[in-house]
């Protein structure tokens, strides 16, 4: 059991407020991912939960009990760091059993337990090897095993995969997912990688500048970003975000930018006129050839990727407007050609001057 409550948690380093009045509850057995750009306070939050960092204010409760004054080893949590920091002169088995030795577990039990967890993360064949004989992915599995062996109520993982290449990252991501499903323990995972957050989390906590900006399931965050920052952070390729203005024009509400003039869906009819940003994900832009769409834009670049083709258009000064089309059907479109596009009525977003998503429920 481990339900972790963070109540008005704060942490300052001198003048730097790393974490500001953060309140959030992680339910027992939940996989929660804290995600946000570098420096937003993720590691500091995790280190306060683990007990490596004293909060400047606020409380941390584990299963209802305030643990602020409890030593890290008495909190029943297991931490996996970004750099796995294995003991270089101990072999893999000795590295894994270290936590058990600290707890004076008898040798026979240690051996049995090390075998069990090595099996669990598929490194039984590596037990006699030294850390410098392990690949990056293997070393990270050893680090996982080293935490697993202590049987923590909660796993705290700080960017555990960020030093690995993309393929290994995906592989170990699946491993974390499987461990969570098998162990049914609480997982708190910190990353700056939106894709890791999307694929692993039951709930995502998006952080920015020491504060929580949105909490939700991956689908909620992806479909209904609270603001421009979240909209821009999740998704690859990113959401198209075009600066312009909302114009009330007698019967219709329109969005005008220097590149196009778009009749906004009916649900935006009460939108406040003036500066705004239009947002639409690349997969929600439909490309037509020879027929009329909502807007028309010139092709800047064509990227055939095999499974799909990305089309980039001139639509704003700072970045291209992207459409994802299935397969290679659009791969032959010429640069400079003007193409008709329709924007999905239900999946078009509008953000106000403060960056908040204009709600049209
Ligand atoms: N020990 C420290 N001393 C001073 N400033 C720190 C310390 N740890 C973190 N910070 C600052 O606190 C902020 C949040 O850092 P951190 O929690 O490491 O962010 P993240 O893990 O999201 O990248 C940053 O501005 C960072 O420079
Ligand atoms: Mg960090």
């Amino acid at each position: 059991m481990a339900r972790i409550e963070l109540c008005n948690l704060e942490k300052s380093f001198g003048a730097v407020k790393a974490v500001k009045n953060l309140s959030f509850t992680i339910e027992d057995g939940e996989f929660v991912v804290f995600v946000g750009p570098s420096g937003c306070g993720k590691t500091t939050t995790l280190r306060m939960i683990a007990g490596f960092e004293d909060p400047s204010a606020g409380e941390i409760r584990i299963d209802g009990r305030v643990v602020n004054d409890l030593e890290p080893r008495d909190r029943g949590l297991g931490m996996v760091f970004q750099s796995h920091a294995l003991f270089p002169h101990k072999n893999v088995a000795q590295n894994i059993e270290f936590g058990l030795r600290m707890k004076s577990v008898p040798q026979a039990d240690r051996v049995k337990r090390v075998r069990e967890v090595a099996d669990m993360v598929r490194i039984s064949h590596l037990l006699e090897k030294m850390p410098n004989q392990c690949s990056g992915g293997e070393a990270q599995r050893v680090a996982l095993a080293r935490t697993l062996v202590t049987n923590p109520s909660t796993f705290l993982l700080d960017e555990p995969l960020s030093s690995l290449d993309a393929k290994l990252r995906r592989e170990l991501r699946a491993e974390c997912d499987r461990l969570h499903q098998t162990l049914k323990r609480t997982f708190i995972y910190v990353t700056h990688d939106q894709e890791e957050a999307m694929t692993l989390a039951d709930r995502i906590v998006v952080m920015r500048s020491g504060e929580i900006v949105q909490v939700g399931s991956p689908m909620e965050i992806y479909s209904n970003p609270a603001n421009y920052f979240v909209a821009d952070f999740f998704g690859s390729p990113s959401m198209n975000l075009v600066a312009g203005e909302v114009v009330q024009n007698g019967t219709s509400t329109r969005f005008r930018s220097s590149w196009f003039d778009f009749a906004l869906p009916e649900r935006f009819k009460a939108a406040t006129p003036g500066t705004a940003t239009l947002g639409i994900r690349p997969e929600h832009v439909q490309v037509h050839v020879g027929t009329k769409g909502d807007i028309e834009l010139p092709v800047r670049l064509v990227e055939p990727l095999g499974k799909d083709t990305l089309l980039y258009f001139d639509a704003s000064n700072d970045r291209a407007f992207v459409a994802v089309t299935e397969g290679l059907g659009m791969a032959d479109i010429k640069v400079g050609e003007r193409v008709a596009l329709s924007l999905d009525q239900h999946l078009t977003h509008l953000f106000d001057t403060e960056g908040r998503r204009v709600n049209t429920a």
Side-chain angles (χ1 to χ4, degrees):
M1 258 291 281
R3 179 174 191 264
I4 298 177
E5 292 165 88
L6 313 177
C7 312
N8 307 108
L9 213 52
E10 303 238 352
K11 180 69 188 181
S12 302
F13 297 103
V16 179
K17 279 204 160 186
V19 175
K20 300 171 198 162
N21 196 23
L22 186 143
S23 294
F24 185 69
T25 300
I26 298 128
E27 298 298 337
D28 180 44
E30 210 179 6
F31 199 127
V32 166
V33 177
F34 283 81
V35 67
S38 179
C40 71
K42 308 180 295 292
T43 295
T44 305
T45 304
L46 203 66
R47 287 175 56 83
M48 286 194 282
I49 298 171
F52 298 128
E53 208 75 78
D54 283 329
S56 309
E59 267 181 4
I60 300 163
R61 297 196 200 109
I62 302 179
D63 294 330
R65 176 184 178 200
V66 176
V67 298
N68 288 47
D69 295 329
L70 223 52
E71 289 298 315
R73 64 170 179 278
D74 298 327
R75 296 189 185 192
L77 316 173
M79 183 118 176
V80 181
F81 298 94
Q82 173 175 355
S83 60
H84 22 72
L86 302 177
F87 300 111
H89 303 299
K90 293 181 193 290
N91 70 18
V92 166
Q94 290 162 338
N95 262 286
I96 297 174
E97 72 165 3
F98 182 77
L100 298 180
R101 273 182 185 271
M102 292 288 95
K103 291 186 177 169
S104 312
V105 174
Q107 195 202 351
D109 294 345
R110 288 203 310 263
V111 172
K112 180 165 167 283
R113 187 76 187 124
V114 167
R115 289 246 165 77
E116 269 172 22
V117 298
D119 265 354
M120 223 182 276
V121 293
R122 306 172 217 247
I123 52 169
S124 309
H125 58 295
L126 298 175
L127 289 174
E128 304 303 318
K129 292 223 161 129
M130 298 306 285
N132 65 2
Q133 296 172 300
C134 296
S135 68
E138 289 169 347
Q140 200 50 282
R141 282 172 195 266
V142 178
L144 267 176
R146 202 169 50 168
T147 302
L148 269 172
V149 83
T150 62
N151 199 23
S153 69
T154 301
F155 289 82
L156 308 177
L157 302 107
D158 190 358
E159 312 243 9
L161 311 183
S162 59
S163 58
L164 307 175
D165 66 46
K167 184 161 174 289
L168 267 177
R169 241 180 5 240
R170 270 197 300 279
E171 217 174 283
L172 273 146
R173 199 165 76 195
E175 204 74 23
C176 286
D177 204 15
R178 198 176 53 85
L179 278 178
H180 176 242
Q181 292 191 20
T182 315
L183 299 168
K184 303 194 184 345
R185 298 287 159 84
T186 309
F187 276 61
I188 308 177
Y189 189 107
V190 158
T191 181
H192 65 274
D193 180 342
Q194 58 91 18
E195 193 178 302
E196 267 177 26
M198 289 289 293
T199 49
L200 284 172
D202 292 323
R203 266 193 310 164
I204 294 176
V205 179
V206 189
M207 286 186 73
R208 182 192 195 185
S209 309
E211 293 177 303
I212 294 179
V213 286
Q214 190 172 1
V215 175
S217 71
M219 272 310 118
E220 281 161 2
I221 300 257
Y222 192 77
S223 309
N224 295 315
N227 56 34
Y228 184 104
F229 171 79
V230 178
D232 195 26
F233 192 82
F234 288 88
S236 174
S238 310
M239 185 184 283
N240 296 303
L241 292 159
V242 182
E245 58 174 340
V246 172
V247 179
Q248 293 290 0
N249 184 7
T251 51
S252 77
T253 308
R254 309 191 67 85
F255 178 84
R256 283 198 189 130
S257 78
S258 3
W259 301 84
F260 60 79
D261 183 334
F262 169 61
L264 283 165
E266 179 69 16
R267 64 202 163 89
F268 289 118
K269 70 173 191 284
T272 314
T275 306
T277 303
L278 182 82
I280 182 139
R281 295 204 178 275
E283 65 270 31
H284 302 144
V285 178
Q286 245 203 324
V287 181
H288 310 282
V289 177
T291 55
K292 236 172 110 54
D294 297 318
I295 62 176
E296 222 187 70
L297 292 172
V299 176
R300 180 198 288 183
L301 178 74
V302 182
E303 260 184 11
L305 299 176
K307 187 169 73 65
D308 39 43
T309 298
L310 302 188
L311 300 181
Y312 294 77
F313 303 91
D314 283 321
S316 70
N317 294 329
D318 49 347
R319 62 190 204 188
F321 188 93
V322 185
V324 179
T325 63
E326 221 178 296
L328 294 170
M330 297 285 174
D332 293 331
I333 281 192
K334 296 281 171 295
V335 169
E337 194 173 325
R338 288 185 75 82
V339 178
L341 304 172
S342 29
L343 315 185
D344 193 308
Q345 293 276 318
H346 303 290
L347 301 165
T348 304
H349 303 292
L350 207 55
F351 300 93
D352 67 17
T353 46
E354 313 281 295
R356 288 175 303 227
R357 187 164 60 92
V358 176
N359 235 323
T360 57

